[in-house]
Amino acid sequence: MTVGNGRVADQVSEGDYLEPRMLAAIDSLELRARMVVQGLMIGLHGSYHQGVSVEFSQHRPYTTGDDIRHIDWKVFGRTDKLYLKQYQKETNLRVFILVDISGSMGFSSFLEFNWRKFDVAATLAATLSYLAIQQQDRVALVLFSDEVESITRLSNSKDHWRAVLAALNDASFLTPGSHAAKDAKSTDFSRVFDQVTAKLNHRSLIILISDLFDPDPAALEHSLAQLRHHHHDLVLLHTLDNAELTFPFRSPVEFEGLESEGRIKINPAGLRQSYLERFNHYLQEVERVTRRFRFDYIRVDTSKSLAATLRQFIALRTASISKGR
Amino acid sequence: MPIILGQSVTFFATALAWAGCGAVGVPVAIHLFSQLRRRQMPWAAMQFLVESYRPKRRWLQLEQLLLLINRCLILIILGLALSSPILHGFTVGFEPGAGDRLVCIILDDSLSTQASGLDGKTRFGALVDAADRLVASLSRRDHAGLWLSGYPARPLVAIPTREHKTIRDHMKALPRRFGRSDMAQALSMVLDSLQTSVREGLYTRAEVYILSDWNIGTFDPEHPPISQLAQIGKHAQVFVSRPAAACDNVQIQELKPQRPVILVHPDGSVTIPVEVKMRRFVTDAEDTDSVVRIVGRNAAGHLVTRPVERRVSWKSGQPAAAVSAVLEVTNQEVSSVVVSASVGLPDTDAIKPDNQRWALVKIRRSVTVGIVDLVPAPGERHNEGGMFSPADWLRVALVPHIPVNRGGFERVRVVDVLPTGFSSQALEGMDAVMVLRPDLLGVAGWRTLAQAAGSGAMVWVFVPPGEVSSAWVTTMVKEFDVDWRLAMQGDVNGSVGGPWPMKTDIRPPRALAMLAADWSALLGPVRVLRRYNIMAQNSGEEVWLSTYDGRPLLTHARVGSGQIMFLATALELGWTNLVVKPLFVPLVHESLHAAVGSNVDVGSTQAFVCGDQPILHAMWKNQSNLVHQTGHRISLKRHKESVSLTSPFNLAGVYCGQPEETMVATVNIDPDASNTNAIKPDQLGHWFDEAGQWHWLNLEQPDRMRSTRDSRQFLGWPLLWVVLILVVFETILARLCSHAGRRRLFSGSLPGVLPRRP
């Protein structure tokens, strides 16, 4: 497998790398993130738009260890000297990746392997932070539930990425093989965003990775309004399990809430239509609210490959940057 | 109260029925198992699930319950159906509380129900008890009516009522009745009530209960009320008590005086020959003896004859017996005698009132006969050669052989009447008018004769001898309004080919029944030389005598209260030798007896039976009441030409007029009323099959309305149909409860949330 020149490996396709089954088999978040990045690189196939930020702004001399992909060969042809292209926000973008670690993120409908919404979120967070750091953007990781649980420093060093990984691995409810924590918490966006925006001194990019199951639906709108007011940008990665999207249950089931909502015994067939109507309405509302504030919205299905999600993310960011947002 | 099946249902394969019941546990167990074996699923989007579940919780639970119940029912009913259930008879579950129900009760209160059984209780008592229990078991919303079938059938509670206590009180106060059962009329009355109720839409259901002992005679076997039963069956369910068991009974079936009017003998004595017929309805009774006592009394009840007793020895199995007696009237002044016959029987005789019977006999000291003929001058005889004239022959036949001056008395008073110019006054008081010269009568004369006949006299017309026109026949026919005609004008001479003999192979008319024993011998010697060829068109007229060729010789017709007779030959030897043959005198006398006996003037001897409410002749118009020998009184109501009773005869016996006690009427029990043999159940069932579905009624438990009709109804197929319906229902319900169809709403790439366009 090679990277950099965009050629696809003989035996493994880009889709295979990013399939949940493959990713779930990798315990190490770091390795998983690298696999995602690699798969993404292969899929992008030599596109220049591989970073969080992609606008070229100036040159700087090549030093040993720099990524040779950014060598401006035209300049070399003219000057016989190696210069690297520098991109517009390479050193200016502040990225805050907010990852929801409430009880609901611990849900997984996969029976053969453990692939929770949090696992997807963590993988996305790790991947995006890696890409950001690669672009010399400064990244901070915020873990939240009903409040901000932890927040890393804002940095773009390579060591900082490991700190991000460590924080993700140490998420308090995460127990290998378990689906929920004993004291799983619910989500409180208004409080979380209050805490986060307090730390945003400059215009920043917020990447919110959550299922957005907030008892107070209006809190999201308020929070987004707050962000827009402070001229921050937001990409919402709405992470949902396929079972939540399709409600495929037929036989009688006893459902247990992951955020201490209690249990109910139902015959799912009778409730399916009603549930899907309500859920769909909720999703559309979230998307509508998000777009109303001119933020980007991406729905992430945990049963699907992450490739589409990431490509969509990159495309959206490219478009945003092109528009000068 | 629920519909009771109880022991009325049997199963051919009981094990399958139990298996079906036991199989109910399977769906119940599956249901419980599925409840316990629910998969536990941690769920993140709980709020959406809860919001969806709350409003539909009850409906979802109901769906599952309906499915469970339906599946259980399918198994139970399938098991019952496969076990071949058979419904024996029909147990009706119309228990109290049904409401809006019309109950019609027909109670038989005829004489036969007074028969008592071995327990001493009468049949009527048992029927009333059963009816009482029936009414007591009705719900407050049920309307009931009561009809009595004893002749005459009548409603006791014609308009159905909820006042059940009133009905029960009426039943307990019912008097004894002595008539026969008039069930056909009672059924007609009930049918009218049912049809009225149906027309007015008053009731949702109707039931008819017929409580009777069903003795022979309840239904006329020749004309059973099939149409009424069929009509009743369309509107109501019919419940019928079973025929009662037969019991021993002896009855006096008939007490028949030889003549209703007795003429005093020439020697002044009066004897009343009577015949008594008896019937015995037995089961397996042994030989027994009984004594029949016959006696005559006057209207006041005093003996006027010596009692006569006749012993009857009944052999085992003997169904009938007859005795005859001649009562000698000891009181010469009596004008009417009430003959009574009674039979003494042991206590095992079921019905006592039919052991006595009455008959009224009128005594006539003389009858008046007018002879319409030309009266010859003194010393003159208008017949030729010193031969007897027709009048002479008649006088010889009518006049008693004991002259008055020798102690005899004028038994037949003969009055000469000239044929011209006589009026109705001239014929007044005459019992008979013999017309020997009809050719001399004018239209007025014929009219007068017709009026006399209409008033009760007998008019006997003889062909006049000699060569006279026969045109008078037309006038006679017209004035008397009889359907006779002459086949040819004038007389017919039978000299060619010999005189006509009489037709002897015929039975004598009823009026001449006394001559029946010697009828052929009396007719044999009679010859007819000349005759009128008369034809009788209407079968109403009776031909009393005819010649061997079948042509009428002596014809008879009723005219109003009287009658007309016509002899198609003259009383002269040149015409016939009848006058000198033994037939002539008894023929004249018996005809005269018959005329006098059938006269309405003696209509008081008309036979009435218990239950009759007759129209009496105007001769009763001066009476205000009829009083029974026990003192029971019946009022009379006068009309223009008749008198009617305000209530029917119930008691048998002698009724005297009031104020004139000499006006007497006798009422007897209808012999069929006390026939204690019952109609066979099969025959009765065959008639009631016309009513559609009907049921035997258990008198012991009429309120349970149980029936023991031997009908078997296989319930398997109806139950299988029920199972099929339940299976279809289960399929539909399961489909609905699976909500599978609703998946099609989300058909597409994502069977869940609608696909979001990137």
Side-chain angles (χ1 to χ4, degrees):
Chain A
M1 182 175 63
T2 59
V3 295
N5 59 8
R7 284 189 295 185
V8 178
D10 291 335
Q11 293 176 339
V12 180
S13 66
E14 154 259 329
D16 292 339
Y17 279 119
L18 304 180
E19 284 299 318
R21 182 182 296 274
M22 288 289 286
L23 292 173
I26 304 171
D27 285 336
S28 167
L29 185 58
E30 178 183 351
L31 186 58
R32 201 188 306 153
R34 287 185 185 277
M35 290 285 283
V36 172
V37 170
Q38 196 162 18
L40 191 62
M41 295 298 185
I42 294 170
L44 290 177
H45 191 58
S47 167
Y48 288 102
H49 302 155
Q50 296 180 21
V52 174
S53 60
V54 294
E55 187 78 8
F56 171 74
S57 65
Q58 61 184 18
H59 292 100
R60 68 171 176 82
Y62 171 79
T63 57
T64 304
D66 284 339
D67 191 349
I68 63 172
R69 288 181 297 168
H70 297 302
I71 296 175
D72 194 339
W73 295 105
K74 289 182 181 175
V75 173
F76 178 75
R78 289 200 302 269
T79 62
D80 284 336
K81 291 182 180 176
L82 295 171
Y83 287 91
L84 291 177
K85 294 176 185 175
Q86 280 191 320
Y87 299 92
Q88 184 176 9
K89 295 188 176 180
E90 197 174 53
T91 56
N92 293 331
L93 188 62
R94 299 150 63 86
V95 180
F96 286 83
I97 300 178
L98 275 59
V99 177
D100 188 349
I101 60 167
S102 62
S104 60
M105 292 297 288
F107 174 71
S108 169
S109 64
F110 295 98
L111 301 177
E112 298 94 4
F113 50 90
N114 189 19
W115 189 237
R116 301 166 298 172
K117 287 192 286 187
F118 174 77
D119 297 320
V120 173
T123 305
L124 284 171
T127 305
L128 292 173
S129 61
Y130 180 85
L131 290 173
I133 290 173
Q134 287 287 95
Q135 301 296 321
Q136 300 298 314
D137 293 323
R138 287 191 283 174
V139 174
L141 176 71
V142 178
L143 300 177
F144 69 92
S145 56
D146 58 341
E147 61 177 356
V148 173
E149 297 288 342
S150 68
I151 181 167
T152 63
R153 62 186 175 87
L154 192 65
S155 171
N156 61 356
S157 68
K158 289 184 174 42
D159 293 334
H160 179 63
W161 188 60
R162 289 206 165 75
V164 166
L165 294 177
L168 288 170
N169 283 325
D170 290 340
S172 61
F173 77 98
L174 185 63
T175 304
S178 68
H179 292 280
K182 290 181 183 176
D183 54 346
K185 299 177 184 178
S186 58
T187 311
D188 186 350
F189 283 115
S190 58
R191 190 174 173 190
V192 167
F193 275 89
D194 284 343
Q195 292 175 334
V196 169
T197 51
K199 298 186 181 301
L200 300 180
N201 300 321
H202 298 89
R203 191 168 170 234
S204 305
L205 171 64
I206 314 296
I207 301 175
L208 175 59
I209 308 176
S210 171
D211 56 9
L212 299 177
F213 288 162
D214 190 327
D216 182 13
L220 177 65
E221 186 173 359
H222 173 74
S223 304
L224 295 183
Q226 224 179 338
L227 289 178
R228 176 52 65 195
H229 177 71
H230 288 98
H231 303 291
H232 299 301
D233 200 2
L234 177 81
V235 178
L236 175 56
L237 298 176
H238 196 177
T239 308
L240 297 164
D241 189 277
N242 185 262
E244 292 167 343
L245 291 169
T246 61
F247 204 72
F249 309 102
R250 282 286 170 265
S251 56
V253 177
E254 183 179 2
F255 290 96
E256 181 182 3
L258 290 174
E259 295 178 358
S260 306
E261 295 103 329
R263 299 167 185 245
I264 52 170
K265 298 177 184 180
I266 62 166
N267 198 354
L271 281 184
R272 188 167 183 268
Q273 183 188 6
S274 175
Y275 165 83
L276 291 175
E277 284 174 357
R278 289 178 189 275
F279 197 70
N280 185 54
H281 174 77
Y282 152 75
L283 293 179
Q284 289 176 348
E285 188 62 22
V286 167
E287 185 175 349
R288 183 189 68 81
V289 166
T290 308
R291 295 196 188 283
R292 186 157 71 89
F293 292 105
R294 299 197 302 278
F295 295 140
D296 294 321
Y297 175 88
I298 299 172
R299 189 176 297 158
V300 182
D301 185 342
T302 60
S303 65
K304 299 290 187 292
S305 165
L306 291 181
T309 304
L310 291 169
R311 277 199 222 103
Q312 189 177 2
F313 176 84
I314 292 172
L316 285 172
R317 291 308 307 155
T318 305
S320 298
I321 294 169
S322 301
K323 290 176 186 173
R325 289 212 313 252
Chain B
M1 292 177 68
I3 294 177
I4 298 172
L5 293 179
Q7 296 174 349
S8 302
V9 179
T10 58
F11 298 92
F12 188 73
T14 313
L16 285 173
W18 284 115
C21 295
V24 167
V26 172
V28 173
I30 292 173
H31 177 76
L32 292 174
F33 188 64
S34 67
Q35 298 292 321
L36 295 171
R37 201 176 161 271
R38 283 179 188 272
R39 185 158 60 105
Q40 291 195 335
M41 186 72 176
W43 188 250
M46 203 63 174
Q47 67 196 82
F48 304 100
L49 204 59
V50 170
E51 287 170 10
S52 304
Y53 179 61
R54 260 198 209 116
K56 299 184 77 172
R57 181 169 62 94
R58 286 196 186 281
W59 173 248
L60 291 174
Q61 287 173 344
L62 184 62
E63 280 181 357
Q64 296 306 308
L65 191 61
L66 277 176
L67 277 173
L68 176 64
I69 291 172
N70 194 55
R71 286 161 186 166
C72 291
L73 279 177
I74 287 173
L75 289 172
I76 290 176
I77 296 174
L78 184 62
L80 291 175
L82 293 176
S83 65
S84 300
I86 295 174
L87 188 65
H88 294 279
F90 195 84
T91 301
V92 180
F94 300 127
E95 297 293 348
D100 295 326
R101 177 173 56 159
L102 171 62
V103 175
C104 301
I105 302 173
I106 299 176
L107 186 60
D108 188 348
D109 60 342
S110 62
L111 177 62
S112 63
T113 60
Q114 291 185 29
S116 49
L118 294 174
D119 57 355
K121 194 176 181 183
T122 63
R123 292 174 179 178
F124 184 65
L127 294 176
V128 168
D129 287 346
D132 186 67
R133 276 198 292 275
L134 190 64
V135 174
S137 70
L138 298 178
S139 78
R140 284 183 302 159
R141 291 177 61 186
D142 293 335
H143 288 75
L146 180 64
W147 286 262
L148 300 175
S149 70
Y151 174 68
R154 70 205 189 285
L156 198 60
V157 179
I159 298 174
T161 176
R162 288 184 187 175
E163 299 295 327
H164 300 159
K165 188 179 180 308
T166 304
I167 297 175
R168 297 175 70 185
D169 291 340
H170 276 309
M171 285 195 294
K172 285 172 186 163
L174 284 173
R176 290 199 308 166
R177 300 280 302 282
F178 298 90
R180 60 177 171 79
S181 180
D182 191 6
M183 189 60 72
Q185 181 61 20
L187 289 172
S188 293
M189 291 179 178
V190 168
L191 177 59
D192 286 341
S193 180
L194 282 173
Q195 288 173 334
T196 303
S197 303
V198 168
R199 220 172 17 247
E200 296 176 2
L202 295 173
Y203 309 101
T204 55
R205 286 178 300 173
E207 295 163 8
V208 175
Y209 295 85
I210 306 176
L211 305 173
S212 171
D213 63 345
W214 296 109
N215 77 310
I216 291 177
T218 305
F219 277 170
D220 179 359
E222 299 295 324
H223 303 96
I226 300 295
S227 63
Q228 283 107 317
L229 291 173
Q231 290 295 318
I232 286 174
K234 286 181 188 174
H235 302 304
Q237 288 221 330
V238 179
F239 299 85
V240 181
S241 61
R242 287 189 177 272
C247 52
D248 296 345
N249 185 42
V250 174
Q251 66 170 199
I252 295 181
Q253 182 185 10
E254 190 178 8
L255 169 61
K256 187 179 176 186
Q258 197 177 67
R259 299 184 195 281
V261 177
I262 299 290
L263 291 177
V264 173
H265 289 298
D267 61 0
S269 63
V270 180
T271 56
I272 305 174
V274 297
E275 186 181 12
V276 179
K277 291 183 182 175
M278 291 181 288
R279 280 197 299 187
R280 187 182 186 199
F281 308 106
V282 296
T283 51
D284 53 354
E286 297 174 349
D287 297 357
T288 187
D289 286 341
S290 57
V291 174
V292 179
R293 191 166 185 269
I294 307 165
V295 69
R297 290 187 168 83
N298 62 7
H302 302 126
L303 285 174
V304 296
T305 71
R306 295 187 185 84
V308 174
E309 289 187 354
R310 292 285 181 269
R311 185 171 294 277
V312 177
S313 294
W314 293 96
K315 302 297 179 191
S316 176
Q318 179 182 348
V323 297
S324 58
V326 177
L327 296 174
E328 291 182 15
V329 178
T330 55
N331 185 342
Q332 303 295 325
E333 303 304 318
V334 67
S335 60
S336 64
V337 175
V338 177
V339 179
S340 70
S342 59
V343 57
L345 291 164
D347 291 338
T348 53
D349 188 49
I351 297 175
K352 301 291 189 290
D354 62 348
N355 297 342
Q356 195 170 11
R357 208 163 181 89
W358 295 266
L360 184 62
V361 176
K362 287 283 191 180
I363 309 295
R364 290 285 299 270
R365 304 228 163 255
S366 65
V367 294
T368 303
V369 178
I371 296 180
V372 178
D373 194 5
L374 289 173
V375 177
E380 224 180 70
R381 297 181 71 85
H382 66 244
N383 58 324
E384 294 178 1
M387 299 294 288
F388 271 20
S389 67
D392 294 332
W393 288 117
L394 269 180
R395 286 176 189 277
V396 167
L398 289 169
V399 170
H401 65 280
I402 301 174
V404 173
N405 57 1
R406 289 190 183 180
F409 66 94
E410 201 174 67
R411 189 161 169 259
V412 179
R413 190 163 69 91
V414 178
V415 176
D416 290 320
V417 180
L418 288 174
T420 53
F422 69 85
S423 64
S424 55
Q425 278 109 357
L427 303 181
E428 192 172 336
M430 288 188 182
D431 297 292
V433 181
M434 310 280 186
V435 182
L436 296 176
R437 291 302 303 269
D439 56 308
L440 297 179
L441 290 177
V443 173
W446 284 112
R447 200 163 290 167
T448 303
L449 284 173
Q451 287 171 356
S455 298
M458 179 185 75
V459 175
W460 194 339
V461 179
F462 297 86
V463 170
E467 303 295 330
V468 296
S469 167
S470 60
W472 55 268
V473 175
T474 305
T475 311
M476 176 188 73
V477 166
K478 182 184 171 190
E479 292 303 323
F480 279 89
D481 193 23
V482 290
D483 198 10
W484 300 336
R485 66 180 179 85
L486 276 177
M488 64 175 64
Q489 291 297 321
D491 60 294
V492 178
N493 197 324
S495 58
V496 176
W500 292 290
M502 301 300 291
K503 194 176 178 63
T504 60
D505 59 348
I506 55 172
R507 293 175 65 178
R510 194 186 310 177
L512 304 179
M514 293 297 291
L515 306 179
D518 303 311
W519 189 240
S520 298
L522 290 170
L523 289 173
V526 177
R527 295 291 182 269
V528 176
L529 297 165
R530 291 174 72 175
R531 55 157 321 150
Y532 274 26
N533 206 350
I534 196 84
M535 304 291 285
Q537 303 294 329
N538 195 328
S539 60
E541 277 79 15
E542 255 185 279
V543 177
W544 284 15
L545 297 175
S546 56
T547 49
Y548 84 100
D549 54 358
R551 291 179 187 168
L553 186 68
L554 177 61
T555 51
H556 166 275
R558 291 210 64 87
V559 178
S561 301
Q563 50 211 298
I564 179 172
M565 292 171 61
F566 175 59
L567 186 67
T569 187
L571 291 180
E572 198 177 76
L573 290 173
W575 287 66
T576 179
N577 65 352
L578 172 63
V579 294
V580 296
K581 293 299 176 186
L583 175 61
F584 183 60
V585 173
L587 176 64
V588 169
H589 278 266
E590 288 302 319
S591 300
L592 191 57
H593 271 288
V596 171
S598 64
N599 192 314
V600 76
D601 179 48
V602 295
S604 57
T605 61
Q606 185 181 355
F608 299 118
V609 295
C610 294
D612 281 346
Q613 191 171 359
I615 304 292
L616 301 176
H617 188 262
M619 67 186 234
W620 290 90
K621 64 183 177 183
N622 294 328
Q623 311 304 311
S624 57
N625 294 296
L626 283 174
V627 182
H628 187 255
Q629 62 209 57
T630 59
H632 174 68
R633 201 178 296 267
I634 299 177
S635 302
L636 298 177
K637 185 177 177 184
R638 293 191 194 90
H639 304 283
K640 196 173 179 182
E641 295 292 334
S642 60
V643 177
S644 65
L645 278 68
T646 56
S647 62
F649 289 121
N650 186 31
L651 298 171
V654 181
Y655 288 80
C656 297
Q658 194 177 53
E660 294 177 40
E661 293 182 353
T662 54
M663 298 287 291
V664 175
T666 56
V667 178
N668 287 295
I669 283 170
D670 188 324
D672 286 338
S674 59
N675 185 338
T676 52
N677 287 334
I679 300 173
K680 287 186 176 8
D682 290 342
Q683 176 64 66
L684 195 63
H686 175 68
W687 286 331
F688 272 99
D689 283 341
E690 295 295 330
Q693 198 166 40
W694 64 278
H695 319 281
W696 289 117
L697 185 65
N698 182 354
L699 286 185
E700 297 302 318
Q701 292 181 310
D703 50 326
R704 300 300 295 275
M705 300 174 216
R706 290 186 183 276
S707 163
T708 57
R709 185 182 186 205
D710 292 331
S711 66
R712 291 154 55 91
Q713 192 170 355
F714 178 63
L715 295 179
W717 285 114
L719 289 177
L720 283 174
W721 278 107
V722 172
V723 169
L724 180 63
I725 291 168
L726 288 175
V727 167
V728 170
F729 179 66
E730 151 77 15
T731 307
I732 295 170
L733 191 61
R735 177 75 174 168
L736 287 173
C737 294
S738 70
H739 306 276
R742 293 177 184 130
R743 296 186 71 176
R744 289 196 294 274
L745 291 174
F746 300 94
S747 63
S749 57
L750 288 175
V753 176
L754 292 175
R756 175 181 164 275
R757 296 194 179 280

